C-alpha cells in the first residue's frame, strides 16, 4: 500500500481524458461532430480510441512502472448521465473500479469532470451558451462527490474553459461550430460560473479525506496558459494585440478563478462582466496546461504562428519548454498554488520529447526556486490518443500506440524512461 502522504506532497503523474482514450464514447457531441465530413483531419474518428475503457488496469501498471504516483483522467458525463437525470449505474461503477485500481497501486487520482465533451442532450439544450443549463453540471459534480468522494481528493472541474470557448464558438473548429467571438466570451463566463457551482457541490459532498493528508477535496480548473509575443517586435500594434489576447485568455480567467468578478474584454466586442459570488474560494489551485508560445502577427493570414526557424512539434507548435518557467511565474502572481496539469509535445518519432521533458522539468525547478508554489506535474499524455480535430496525428504519448492494430498495442518511447529517471532524481 501507499505511504501516508505528507500534506506538502508533490504529485508526479501523467494525464489522459475519457473521450481521447476510452473508445466507444458515442453519446456525446464530439462523437456526432466526428461523423460530419471535413471536421477531423483525414476523416479520423475517435472510434475505439485506445481501448482504455477495458484496459485501464494495464495502463495504470504502465504509469506505475515509471515510478509515477498520480493519474489525471476524466469521467465521461455522457456515459454516467445518458439522459438528464437518468444515471447509468454500470458506468458509475466502472469509474469506481478505476479509482480503486488507482488506490491499490498507490496512485493518487486527479479527476476531471469536464474535458471538452458534452452529453448529446446537454448540447441539444443549448450547451454552455445557456445559463440555465449550468445546474445540470452542478448536479453531475454533486453526484461525483457523493459516489467518488471517498476515493478522490483532487478534482479538476473543467478543462481549459478558454480553449473550449474559442475553438468551439469563435473559430468554429469544434462542436457546435459557431464563429462568433461575442458568443465565445459568454461561454467562457458560463464555464467559469459552472466551475464555481461545481466547486460548491464538491465541497458539500466530498468530505472524506481519501489519502490521509488532511484535505478531502482540492479543487481547480485546468487552465491553458499560453505565451503570446509579437512576431515583429518593432511594431507596437502587435505588442498591443498580444497584450489584449493575453489579457482575455490568460489574465481574465485567472482573476476570476481567484474570486474576482468576471471581466472579458476584446476591442470591438461587447465585453462580458459578471459578478459570481461562488467564485470566491472556489479554487484551491490553478491547473496549468502549458504547451507552447505563439507569435502574434497582424500581417498575413495566420494570426498566430510558431517563431520562424524554431523547432516545432508534429502539429507545428514551437518546442519551447523553457517557457514553462515563465508560464508558472505569471500564474503564480495570482496567489494560488499551482499544479502543472498538462505539459507535453506531439512528437511521433520521439526526437524532441526527451529534451523537452528535461527542459520542462528544469523550468519547473527554476520556478519553484523563484517562489512559485507548484504542487505537481502531470505529463500529457500517458499514451497516444485521439487529438480532437487533429485526429490521430498528434502523438503525445510517453507510450506509443499502434492504431493500425485492433488490440492497440502500447510500447514505451525512450521518453518514458527519461521522464521516469527525471522523476526519480527529484524524489
Ligand atoms: C490540451 C487538451 C488535451 C490535449 C492537449 C494536447 O489543450 O486539454 O486534451 O488535446 O491539449
Amino acid at each position: 500500500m501507499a505511504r501516508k502522504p505528507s500534506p506538502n506532497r508533490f504529485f508526479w503523474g501523467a494525464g489522459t481524458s475519457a473521450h481521447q482514450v476510452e473508445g466507444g464514447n458515442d453519446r456525446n457531441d464530439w462523437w456526432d461532430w466526428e461523423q460530419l465530413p471535413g471536421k477531423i483531419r483525414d476523416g479520423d474518428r475517435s472510434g475505439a480510441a485506445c481501448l482504455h475503457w477495458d484496459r485501464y488496469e494495464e495502463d495504470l501498471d504502465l504509469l506505475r512502472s515509471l515510478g509515477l504516483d498520480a493519474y489525471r483522467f476524466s469521467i465521461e458525463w455522457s456515459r454516467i448521465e445518458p439522459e438528464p437525470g437518468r444515471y447509468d449505474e454500470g458506468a458509475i461503477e466502472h469509474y469506481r473500479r478505476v479509482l480503486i485500481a488507482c488506490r491499490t497501486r498507490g496512485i493518487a487520482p486527479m479527476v476531471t469532470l469536464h474535458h471538452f465533451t458534452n452529453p448529446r442532450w446537454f448540447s441539444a439544450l443549448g450547451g454552455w451558451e445557456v445559463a440555465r443549463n449550468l445546474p445540470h453540471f452542478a448536479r453531475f459534480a454533486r453526484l461525483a462527490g457523493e459516489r467518488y468522494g471517498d476515493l478522490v481528493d483532487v478534482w479538476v472541474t473543467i478543462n481549459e474553459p478558454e480553449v473550449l470557448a474559442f475553438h468551439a464558438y469563435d473559430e468554429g473548429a469544434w462542436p457546435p461550430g459557431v464563429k462568433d467571438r461575442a458568443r465565445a466570451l459568454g461561454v467562457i463566463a458560463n464555464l467559469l460560473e459552472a466551475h464555481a457551482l461545481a466547486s460548491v457541490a464538491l465541497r458539500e459532498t466530498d468530505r472524506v479525506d481519501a489519502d490521509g493528508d488532511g484535505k478531502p477535496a482540492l479543487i481547480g480548473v485546468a487552465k491553458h496558459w499560453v505565451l503570446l509575443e509579437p512576431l515583429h517586435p518593432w511594431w507596437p500594434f502587435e505588442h498591443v494585440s498580444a497584450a489584449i489576447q493575453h489579457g482575455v485568455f490568460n489574465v481574465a480567467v485567472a482573476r476570476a478563478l481567484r474570486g474576482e468578478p468576471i471581466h472579458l474584454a476584446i476591442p470591438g466586442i461587447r465585453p462580458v462582466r459578471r459578478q459570481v459570488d461562488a467564485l470566491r474560494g472556489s479554487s484551491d489551485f490553478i491547473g496549468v496546461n502549458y504547451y507552447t508560445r505563439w507569435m502574434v502577427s497582424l500581417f498575413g493570414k495566420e494570426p498566430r504562428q510558431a517563431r520562424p526557424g524554431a523547432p516545432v512539434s508534429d502539429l507545428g507548435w514551437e518546442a519551447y519548454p523553457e517557457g514553462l518557467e515563465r508560464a508558472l511565474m505569471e500564474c503564480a502572481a495570482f496567489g494560488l498554488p499551482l499544479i502543472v496539469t498538462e505539459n507535453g509535445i506531439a512528437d511521433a518519432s520521439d526526437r524532441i520529447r526527451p529534451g523537452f521533458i528535461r527542459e520542462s522539468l528544469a523550468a519547473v525547478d527554476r520556478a519553484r526556486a523563484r517562489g512559485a508554489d507548484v504542487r505537481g506535474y502531470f505529463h500529457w499524455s500517458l499514451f497516444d490518443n485521439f487529438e480532437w480535430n487533429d485526429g490521430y496525428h498528434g502523438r503525445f504519448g510517453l507510450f506509443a500506440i499502434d492504431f493500425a492494430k485492433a488490440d492497440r498495442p502500447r510500447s514505451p518511447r525512450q521518453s518514458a524512461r527519461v521522464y521516469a529517471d527525471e522523476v526519480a532524481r527529484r524524489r
Side-chain angles (χ1 to χ4, degrees):
M1 279 307 274
R3 280 171 297 152
K4 188 173 155 67
S6 86
N8 295 321
R9 70 180 295 182
F10 191 93
F11 296 105
W12 285 111
T16 64
S17 88
H19 190 73
Q20 296 180 272
V21 300
E22 286 179 349
N25 265 318
D26 57 5
R27 295 167 175 177
N28 66 33
D29 57 341
W30 265 91
W31 186 273
D32 295 343
W33 187 249
E34 292 158 26
Q35 315 309 314
L36 302 176
K39 300 300 184 195
I40 313 292
R41 194 160 160 189
D42 287 346
D44 283 355
R45 293 174 179 179
S46 58
C50 312
L51 301 173
H52 182 63
W53 179 264
D54 299 315
R55 295 177 58 175
Y56 64 88
E57 287 191 283
E58 179 191 331
D59 292 335
L60 291 172
D61 288 339
L62 293 181
L63 185 136
R64 206 52 209 130
S65 73
L66 304 184
L68 306 180
D69 62 9
Y71 178 43
R72 174 175 178 228
F73 68 101
S74 70
I75 56 175
E76 175 64 27
W77 185 9
S78 65
R79 285 191 191 262
I80 291 179
E81 191 176 357
E83 291 165 31
R86 185 174 75 74
Y87 297 101
D88 181 330
E89 277 301 322
I92 294 174
E93 271 309 310
H94 169 85
Y95 290 116
R96 268 199 80 78
R97 286 195 295 276
V98 176
L99 290 166
I100 290 167
C102 288
R103 290 291 181 197
T104 52
R105 287 167 176 77
I107 295 170
M110 170 190 268
V111 172
T112 305
L113 299 181
H114 190 273
H115 199 121
F116 297 153
T117 56
N118 300 318
R120 186 172 290 125
W121 60 262
F122 184 80
S123 293
L125 291 175
W128 296 106
E129 279 202 275
V130 178
R132 68 170 179 281
N133 288 342
L134 305 186
H136 287 295
F137 183 64
R139 190 178 66 227
F140 174 58
R142 178 168 299 277
L143 175 109
E146 282 165 1
R147 302 297 294 264
Y148 306 132
D150 59 327
L151 293 163
V152 181
D153 284 351
V154 191
W155 302 92
V156 170
T157 53
I158 296 180
N159 183 67
E160 300 186 341
E162 58 293 316
V163 170
L164 172 56
F166 281 111
H167 281 341
Y169 291 88
D170 177 36
E171 291 156 31
W174 289 6
V178 173
K179 293 185 183 172
D180 182 334
R181 200 158 283 174
R183 286 166 70 180
L185 295 188
V187 166
I188 296 182
N190 281 342
L191 287 164
L192 289 167
E193 185 163 346
H195 155 71
L197 298 177
S199 177
V200 170
L202 287 170
R203 290 201 203 287
E204 281 173 11
T205 49
D206 179 2
R207 300 196 178 263
V208 183
D209 172 11
D211 61 13
D213 67 354
K215 295 169 190 151
L218 292 175
I219 301 169
V221 156
K223 157 97 199 68
H224 190 103
W225 200 272
V226 67
L227 302 181
L228 295 159
E229 292 178 20
L231 181 63
H232 309 96
W234 41 265
W235 210 44
F237 288 115
E238 278 181 357
H239 282 272
V240 173
S241 178
I244 289 169
Q245 294 180 46
H246 173 66
V248 70
F249 193 93
N250 290 332
V251 175
V253 173
R255 283 198 177 139
L257 293 176
R258 74 162 176 200
E260 291 178 40
I262 298 169
H263 182 203
L264 304 163
I266 300 177
I269 289 173
R270 192 160 36 87
V272 175
R273 288 174 197 275
R274 196 184 298 175
Q275 168 81 42
V276 177
D277 292 337
L279 275 170
R280 229 170 288 127
S282 63
S283 308
D284 300 301
F285 64 90
I286 297 180
V288 180
N289 292 0
Y290 170 77
Y291 286 92
T292 191
R293 112 176 113 181
W294 291 107
M295 312 309 283
V296 171
S297 167
L298 294 176
F299 300 115
K301 60 178 179 357
E302 287 297 332
R304 279 173 292 278
Q305 50 182 271
R307 191 168 56 83
V312 294
S313 78
D314 294 346
L315 296 178
W317 308 0
E318 181 183 356
Y320 185 50
E322 316 82 291
L324 180 54
E325 177 184 357
R326 191 170 118 206
L328 289 169
M329 295 314 294
E330 288 178 355
C331 226
F334 297 90
L336 289 165
L338 308 176
I339 298 177
V340 180
T341 34
E342 291 182 24
N343 173 242
I345 188 164
D347 178 25
S349 67
D350 209 31
R351 273 193 300 255
I352 304 180
R353 192 180 291 97
F356 182 93
I357 290 175
R358 289 193 192 95
E359 287 295 323
S360 297
L361 296 183
V364 174
D365 294 342
R366 290 194 300 273
R368 294 180 81 187
R370 292 172 64 192
D373 181 8
V374 187
R375 309 276 178 94
Y377 173 94
F378 290 72
H379 193 78
W380 185 273
S381 172
L382 181 57
F383 42 79
D384 292 342
N385 55 51
F386 179 72
E387 180 46 33
W388 308 112
N389 56 328
D390 280 310
Y392 288 104
H393 281 275
R395 300 293 173 96
F396 282 87
L398 294 167
F399 290 83
I401 291 197
D402 184 350
F403 292 99
K405 302 222 168 81
D407 65 339
R408 305 291 195 272
R410 284 97 163 110
S411 50
R413 292 198 165 96
Q414 187 208 336
S415 291
R417 195 32 48 214
V418 170
Y419 184 37
D421 290 346
E422 291 291 314
V423 170
R425 230 160 44 75
R426 288 172 172 81
R427 280 202 191 279

